Amino acid sequence: MQSVSHIVDYLRRGERLTAEDAVVLWREAPLWLLSELALSSKRAVSGELVYYNRNIHIEPSNVCLFNCEFCSFRRRVGDVDAWFLTLDEIEERARKMQGTGITEVHIVGGVHPDHTIDLYCEMIRRIKALLPNVAVKAYTAVEISYMSRREGISLEEGLRRLQAAGMESIPGGGAEIFDEELRSKICPDKCSSEEWLAVHRAAHNMGIDTNCTMLYGHIETIEQRVDHLNRLRQLQDEAPGFNAFIPLKYRSRNNRMSEVGECSVEDDMRMIAMSRIFLDNIPHIKAYWVAYGKSTTEMALAFGADDIDGTIDDSTKIYSMAGADARPTMSVEELEALVRDAGFVAVERDTHYNEIRRSAQPAATMQRSQRGQKIAIMYGDDPNSDARLRDERVDKEVNEGNNENRDMKSVKSSNKGAERGSESGFRAMYKRNIVLWTILSIGAFGLLLILLLYFGLMIFTRHSKSIVVPNFIEMNLEEARVMAKDIGLEIVVRDSVYESEIAGGVVIDQMPAPSSVREVKVKPDRKIYLTVNAYARRMIQVPYVANQSLRQAINQLERDGFNIGKLEYVPHTYDGQVVEQKVAGKVITRSTNIKLPYGSSVTLKVGYRSGKQITAVPQLMGMNLSKAKNTLWTSGLNVNKVEYDETVKDLKDRRLARVYMQTQPAKKGVVRGTKVSIYLTCDEKLIDSLSKITDTRSAYYDEQRRLMQKEAEAEAKAQEEERKRLEAEEKARAEAAADSLRLLAASEEQVVASVEGATDVDEE
Ligand code: V47
């Protein structure tokens, strides 16, 4: 292991930081040193400049097929606060932005199970029709992977269709964390890391530039962060196309990982600095102000960030719903002031990092900045300025040196002459000692935060007040509402199901759930989410899930209220993909329009690649019924018998019951489709004692499953390489055949010519 001073030495010689040394630097280097190293890397790329843009987000829907642990944004179809924008509503949003001077529309949202690639393309077309010269940065790799798979087309074809509709760039969302084990914990059903990278690789190879992100500050380790950065750096070496890396700080409100809390501001600064130092081939590091808040963003500029994102205009909810600024908006003046206050020069950019200068009068020619970079000129906020911008935008030239960067600062500074001339002594001193001041500010900020937290918690969270959550299960909904109101809680109906043996309007589940062993307490006014039994069995449209992965199909069917009847396995090219779906013996196709009662069973025929029939039985101990069923199905197994012991007396008990026994013990090496019976109890002591025994076993089988998954991945890779080799051989054979045909044709021509020549002579 290298020492920090040794690492710094080789970095200063311009050598690349290794993954191993990055871990050491991250953990051990003092903050001031990270700031110095990161700033020196930043200056080599963007001098004193810090970029911002004029942009909005459009989030077409918060309904999402995937159910990530960290997400506060996701809703299910039918949830009271689920939304879905129609094409007309999207168009209306774009219309409102005409003439405002924005240069980018960023579209990102949940992966809505019913959205087709045609709909995604139409959204872009509608926006481009109204804002022809605004760049559309659209859809994360997760969405693109899903829409292409759903359509049964390659990633390249999916990207080509989106590009033809007007998509110009791809945002960096959905990367989360690449480490497979952690990814399977925090976002198990999202596309794999390999798939995320494959989408960006394909885009880069097609000349589409993209961004990349990492969700950090939750339960990941420094090693996992470095691994993530390393995979991005490798892809950028292999197929360049990333414009910016955006470390996304995990915000903890209103999601299932809330108890993890948020990381410190010091951790944020280390994250920014290490991204800048490690990612020596990605030009821009973005401190996304919406995620960080304004003061942390300003601080991030002293640690190597050179972009803060845009005006936003209160158009994104992903971060508001997770606890950040409720209505994120910054004017150009505010963005510029933030950059200036940190001692840098604010520059407006477009999606591709071309500088934009806006001017009141038209200029005759293209202008050049002092860095030699070509810049686009915009004329005020005239709606036509978008068009002019596009006409005059040209590709950026390669990096210029530091001196030129400093020149740029002076040009910009002189533009702002009076303002900079009247700088106070304090400000000048601040700029000279930016690192020292930053560290002092972090200290002061931390102290202030502790004091604010102490007093704030007392006042705002009514720390001393808490209410014991009552058991609403089996109550009538109206009774539950009255009781909740009396004790200061709010009732929200989250779901409605239909169980024939229970009366309509009766509460059958609640969250947070009461516990028979301890009191569950919440703050006053807290929402309690209830599942209520419907008065009549609802009829639901059967969704078409063929061509999706098994996990996606299960999620969608469960979400819509269907049960998985049976999983049947058949040999197929795509391992783990749903090949066919049946209800009541009838095959469902894309065009089938059929409604069935809530809770009906769907049979799925799932593909496996030859030699891959084997799976592992998961540990189900301690899970409730729906979690246990879902775990079996997603492991490729069938649910056989479900039995309750004598402690389970009524419906309420069924909801609380946990698995204490399974017929197939957790083990690897069973054939996919094998049936497993599960036994449930309400005896918490039994569950507790059994889960202690199985905890270590569970870790063992988790490890076995991970190894099997790795083996399967290696196998898939080998098969892909073999396919490519065969393809290359086939191509070579075809070329050789074409060559010999050409030779044959040429010699035939010669023969014909000589015969004709001979005939001519004869005739003479
Ligand atoms: O992929 C979701 C993250 C991302 C939470 O490319 C959360 O220019 C923190 O990718 N706490 C979407 N993060 C946003 C995104 C993005 C944003 C700004 C600019 C660009 C760009 C991309 O938001 C998701 C996920 O990683 N996210 N929930 C949360 N609770």
Side-chain angles (χ1 to χ4, degrees):
M1 202 173 66
Q2 307 263 32
S3 69
V4 169
S5 65
H6 188 274
I7 299 169
V8 171
D9 278 350
Y10 82 68
L11 278 178
R12 288 201 171 124
R13 285 199 301 274
E15 286 170 34
R16 181 173 252 199
L17 182 61
T18 66
E20 205 182 18
D21 293 346
V23 174
V24 177
L25 206 60
W26 208 311
R27 288 222 169 91
E28 295 178 17
L31 257 189
W32 64 265
L33 179 61
L34 288 186
S35 162
E36 191 192 302
L37 292 171
L39 275 179
S40 132
S41 302
K42 177 235 180 283
R43 285 199 169 102
V45 179
S46 45
E48 298 303 317
L49 305 187
V50 169
Y51 298 94
Y52 70 88
N53 70 345
R54 300 188 196 212
N55 64 344
I56 59 156
H57 287 215
I58 292 183
E59 292 166 349
S61 177
N62 61 350
V63 169
C64 189
L65 193 54
F66 306 124
N67 195 0
C68 302
E69 298 292 314
F70 55 79
C71 187
S72 318
F73 177 78
R74 185 245 186 193
R75 293 292 181 273
R76 298 175 305 170
V77 175
D79 282 350
V80 268
D81 46 357
W83 79 72
F84 159 64
L85 299 183
T86 62
L87 286 168
D88 289 346
E89 284 166 332
I90 289 176
E91 208 169 59
E92 193 43 40
R93 185 87 182 99
R95 189 170 289 113
K96 278 202 185 119
M97 297 320 290
Q98 285 182 315
T100 58
I102 60 159
T103 61
E104 178 181 282
V105 173
H106 175 163
I107 321 181
V108 65
V111 178
H112 195 296
D114 305 335
H115 285 183
T116 60
I117 191 160
D118 288 341
L119 181 66
Y120 282 112
C121 287
E122 188 56 20
M123 288 179 196
I124 301 176
R125 271 188 228 107
R126 296 272 188 119
I127 295 168
K128 291 293 282 187
L130 291 161
L131 300 167
N133 297 298
V134 165
V136 173
K137 181 169 84 180
Y139 312 127
T140 64
V142 177
E143 290 161 291
I144 294 172
S145 146
Y146 174 78
M147 63 180 92
S148 306
R149 219 178 214 268
R150 184 185 198 280
E151 194 68 16
I153 56 176
S154 66
L155 290 175
E156 285 77 8
E157 176 60 14
L159 287 165
R160 201 197 52 69
R161 289 198 202 171
L162 293 167
Q163 195 179 26
M167 177 266 277
E168 226 175 81
S169 164
I170 298 177
E176 319 315 356
I177 194 89
F178 290 149
D179 180 273
E180 277 74 16
E181 204 176 337
L182 186 50
R183 197 175 181 84
S184 74
K185 286 196 177 116
I186 68 168
C187 47
D189 29 45
K190 235 179 199 162
C191 75
S192 69
S193 315
E194 268 309 311
E195 183 79 357
W196 189 97
L197 290 163
V199 173
H200 284 260
R201 183 182 296 111
H204 296 177
N205 288 335
M206 290 169 69
I208 302 168
D209 53 9
T210 75
N211 287 340
C212 49
T213 60
M214 171 169 103
L215 183 72
Y216 76 96
H218 41 94
I219 51 172
E220 81 290 357
T221 61
I222 301 292
E223 283 78 3
Q224 285 164 334
R225 288 184 190 175
V226 172
D227 165 66
H228 189 102
L229 295 183
N230 205 18
R231 295 198 211 187
L232 292 174
R233 191 169 77 175
Q234 276 165 3
L235 176 57
Q236 182 77 339
D237 277 345
E238 178 200 323
F242 288 131
N243 276 334
F245 171 68
I246 309 138
L248 290 170
K249 179 188 175 106
Y250 164 66
R251 302 303 306 260
S252 68
R253 292 272 289 277
N254 307 322
N255 58 62
R256 291 194 304 283
M257 274 169 45
S258 290
E259 76 282 359
V260 167
E262 290 177 5
C263 68
S264 67
V265 177
E266 181 188 336
D267 206 0
D268 295 330
M269 296 307 116
R270 284 184 181 273
M271 179 72 231
I272 297 274
M274 287 304 302
S275 316
R276 174 57 86 183
I277 300 164
F278 192 85
L279 297 174
D280 56 359
N281 54 359
I282 300 185
H284 305 290
I285 303 293
K286 186 190 284 189
Y288 182 43
W289 75 262
V290 178
Y292 282 131
K294 294 172 195 166
S295 56
T296 307
T297 302
E298 189 176 327
M299 225 179 271
L301 300 185
F303 287 82
D306 69 344
D307 186 9
I308 56 174
D309 208 75
T311 43
I312 302 285
D313 192 24
D314 186 18
S315 56
T316 173
K317 290 271 163 277
I318 297 180
Y319 277 84
S320 327
M321 288 163 94
D325 190 347
R327 315 200 61 177
T329 303
M330 279 242 245
S331 66
V332 165
E333 291 69 31
E334 284 174 300
L335 288 163
E336 289 191 344
L338 185 154
V339 173
R340 232 179 11 248
D341 289 348
F344 292 92
V345 179
V347 183
E348 185 182 348
R349 63 157 177 91
D350 68 10
T351 301
H352 311 284
Y353 286 82
N354 298 301
E355 286 181 34
I356 293 174
R357 285 203 188 161
R358 291 169 196 260
S359 142
Q361 289 106 39
T365 54
M366 183 77 195
Q367 291 190 9
R368 268 173 191 272
S369 76
Q370 295 286 305
R371 294 169 65 220
Q373 189 188 50
K374 288 175 185 167
I375 50 177
I377 317 289
M378 285 188 97
Y379 307 107
D381 274 347
D382 168 351
N384 297 325
S385 58
D386 292 346
R388 291 187 193 209
L389 170 70
R390 176 43 50 91
D391 293 345
E392 295 173 2
R393 182 185 294 156
V394 285
D395 287 338
K396 224 195 285 190
E397 288 180 348
V398 200
N399 288 330
E400 287 79 28
N402 281 351
N403 293 340
E404 286 166 324
N405 293 335
R406 271 197 291 280
D407 285 346
M408 181 62 196
K409 181 182 178 187
S410 64
V411 169
K412 288 278 172 179
S413 308
S414 63
N415 285 348
K416 312 249 177 236
E419 190 185 292
R420 298 187 82 78
S422 64
E423 254 179 13
S424 69
F426 176 79
R427 247 162 107 99
M429 199 169 75
Y430 172 76
K431 279 176 194 165
R432 271 201 307 276
N433 297 303
I434 188 160
V435 175
L436 185 69
W437 283 106
T438 305
I439 293 166
L440 283 177
S441 318
I442 294 175
F445 181 73
L447 200 68
L448 193 70
L449 210 67
I450 291 169
L451 287 173
L452 273 177
L453 267 177
Y454 180 75
F455 292 111
L457 272 175
M458 296 312 265
I459 302 164
F460 293 113
T461 65
R462 285 169 275 184
H463 205 57
S464 50
K465 282 197 190 166
S466 60
I467 300 171
V468 177
V469 177
N471 190 350
F472 294 111
I473 297 172
E474 286 191 335
M475 272 186 192
N476 181 289
L477 178 60
E478 277 324 300
E479 281 167 24
R481 278 195 206 283
V482 173
M483 179 171 183
K485 199 170 171 206
D486 278 354
I487 56 175
L489 295 174
E490 191 188 334
I491 291 291
V492 176
V493 177
R494 186 179 58 157
D495 204 356
S496 98
V497 297
Y498 179 75
E499 305 223 6
S500 55
E501 69 271 36
I502 303 165
V506 168
V507 176
I508 52 179
D509 203 2
Q510 74 178 74
M511 204 187 77
S515 163
S516 57
V517 284
R518 65 190 164 85
E519 285 183 333
V520 178
K521 290 183 176 169
V522 293
K523 298 271 167 283
D525 299 333
R526 170 79 195 263
K527 289 188 176 113
I528 308 291
Y529 296 90
L530 301 185
T531 304
V532 177
N533 198 37
Y535 284 89
R537 193 181 280 272
R538 270 187 293 147
M539 298 297 282
I540 319 159
Q541 178 81 33
V542 181
Y544 178 69
V545 294
N547 291 338
Q548 298 187 18
S549 73
L550 175 62
R551 193 184 278 275
Q552 286 168 350
I554 291 170
N555 274 353
Q556 185 170 352
L557 288 166
E558 281 199 303
R559 185 216 58 178
D560 287 0
F562 289 97
N563 206 14
I564 309 299
K566 193 173 170 203
L567 298 177
E568 294 171 355
Y569 277 86
V570 288
H572 193 68
T573 334
Y574 294 113
D575 196 64
Q577 178 157 322
V578 174
V579 180
E580 187 184 270
Q581 77 184 93
K582 281 195 255 174
V583 282
K586 184 176 162 22
V587 175
I588 303 289
T589 67
R590 203 181 280 286
S591 53
T592 310
N593 190 357
I594 176 172
K595 284 190 171 174
L596 283 179
Y598 182 96
S600 300
S601 291
V602 178
T603 297
L604 299 178
K605 209 177 252 183
V606 190
Y608 70 84
R609 256 212 318 261
S610 74
K612 294 276 137 205
Q613 295 103 312
I614 301 303
T615 184
V617 180
Q619 181 58 261
L620 306 172
M621 194 67 62
M623 291 181 186
N624 66 17
L625 180 60
S626 69
K627 174 87 181 145
K629 277 180 164 178
N630 184 283
T631 309
L632 284 174
W633 291 329
T634 51
S635 304
L637 298 164
N638 276 303
V639 180
N640 191 21
K641 236 185 329 177
V642 174
E643 278 193 8
Y644 297 94
D645 74 359
E646 66 289 349
T647 61
V648 183
K649 297 200 172 60
D650 52 19
L651 182 77
K652 185 176 64 192
D653 289 345
R654 279 193 194 187
R655 304 260 157 211
L656 296 172
R658 297 285 182 270
V659 176
Y660 71 96
M661 200 167 74
Q662 59 193 80
T663 43
Q664 292 279 342
K667 64 174 180 212
K668 70 185 246 191
V670 295
V671 176
R672 290 202 224 181
T674 298
K675 290 179 181 169
V676 179
S677 296
I678 37 191
Y679 298 84
L680 297 105
T681 180
C682 273
D683 183 344
E684 293 195 12
K685 279 201 202 98
L686 174 66
I687 296 164
D688 195 44
S689 59
L690 285 169
S691 58
K692 275 196 191 99
I693 304 167
T694 51
D695 260 2
T696 46
R697 276 206 271 155
S698 165
Y700 168 77
Y701 289 113
D702 279 353
E703 178 62 14
Q704 296 292 337
R705 256 203 306 285
R706 208 172 58 78
L707 287 175
M708 279 178 62
Q709 197 175 338
K710 263 202 167 147
E711 272 169 30
E713 275 164 14
E715 163 85 357
K717 210 168 155 195
Q719 284 199 4
E720 180 60 17
E721 273 162 15
E722 177 64 8
R723 195 188 58 74
K724 279 193 185 143
R725 196 185 61 76
L726 290 174
E727 218 173 71
E729 261 181 33
E730 185 58 37
K731 203 170 156 203
R733 260 201 302 277
E735 273 165 12
D739 280 351
S740 34
L741 276 176
R742 264 197 299 278
L743 276 174
L744 201 67
S747 57
E748 268 174 6
E749 268 168 28
Q750 268 180 359
V751 172
V752 169
S754 58
V755 169
E756 277 174 355
T759 319
D760 287 350
V761 172
D762 285 352
E763 280 171 0
E764 269 173 22

